[in-house]
Structure formats: C-alpha cells, structure tokens
Amino acid sequence: MNFDRFFYGLDNEAYNYLGCHSLDMNSVEFSLWCEADEVYLCFDDKQIKMNKMNDKGIFSITLDTHIYKYHYLTIRNGKSEIIKDIYSFNNDE
C-alpha cells in the first residue's frame, strides 16, 4: 500500500484502502490510520496485534477468515482506547 497521496492530501478516497476489505472468498484485510503505539483487532474474545506499516500511523493485518463484528484496541503512551469502525459489516451503532 502506498499512502503518500493520502498524507499529502491528494487522495480523498481513503475508504478504498482503510477499513475492512475482502481480498477473496477466504481472506480479509483490515487497515487503520491511528496515532498509537500498538493496535489490536478484537473479535470473538480474541485480540490480534496489527502490523505497523509505517511511522505515520498506518496499521494493517490480513486474516484468512471473515469477521463481521470487530473493533480496534489502541494503546498510546500506556493508555488503551476502544475504537469501533463505523463502516464495519453489521455494526450495531
């Protein structure tokens, strides 16, 4: 993923690569832009640490499963916060 256009304000369609996207019938990619030291994808009582893609705060992970309800747990300076993806599949809110 190349986020240069996004960070320079030249791309207003970040929803094409941030959030949750099915890659094929069996895998899903989750990407988030967030000021955090660590980010975890949380679903079904699981927490999976996401990969920090660059120093600008892009986190991403690809899983071989389809998840329909999830949230993110971010940790910054020792403080944690839960972030819901308002565009996620079957979001309650």
Side-chain angles (χ1 to χ4, degrees):
M1 294 179 285
N2 184 346
F3 291 95
D4 290 342
R5 290 182 50 80
F6 172 71
F7 287 113
Y8 288 114
L10 302 172
D11 188 347
N12 60 355
E13 298 179 350
Y15 55 83
N16 286 325
Y17 41 85
L18 293 175
C20 175
H21 297 279
S22 293
L23 299 178
D24 56 39
M25 294 296 292
N26 298 317
S27 60
V28 178
E29 179 180 52
F30 297 86
S31 297
L32 174 72
W33 176 41
C34 167
E35 290 184 14
D37 301 318
E38 298 175 64
V39 175
Y40 293 84
L41 179 67
C42 304
F43 62 97
D44 296 337
D45 296 326
K46 297 177 188 171
Q47 293 182 353
I48 300 176
K49 187 174 182 178
M50 296 179 70
N51 303 310
K52 191 168 188 176
M53 305 304 291
N54 60 32
D55 61 348
K56 295 179 181 177
I58 300 292
F59 293 83
S60 184
I61 191 168
T62 300
L63 301 177
D64 292 330
T65 186
H66 281 278
I67 300 168
Y68 296 97
K69 287 191 174 188
Y70 64 91
H71 63 272
Y72 301 106
L73 173 66
T74 64
I75 300 173
R76 182 176 184 199
N77 297 327
K79 295 183 180 180
S80 62
E81 179 180 2
I82 293 176
I83 299 174
K84 290 194 174 192
D85 185 346
I86 60 170
Y87 300 109
S88 68
F89 308 121
N90 296 329
N91 192 301
D92 310 75
E93 300 184 46

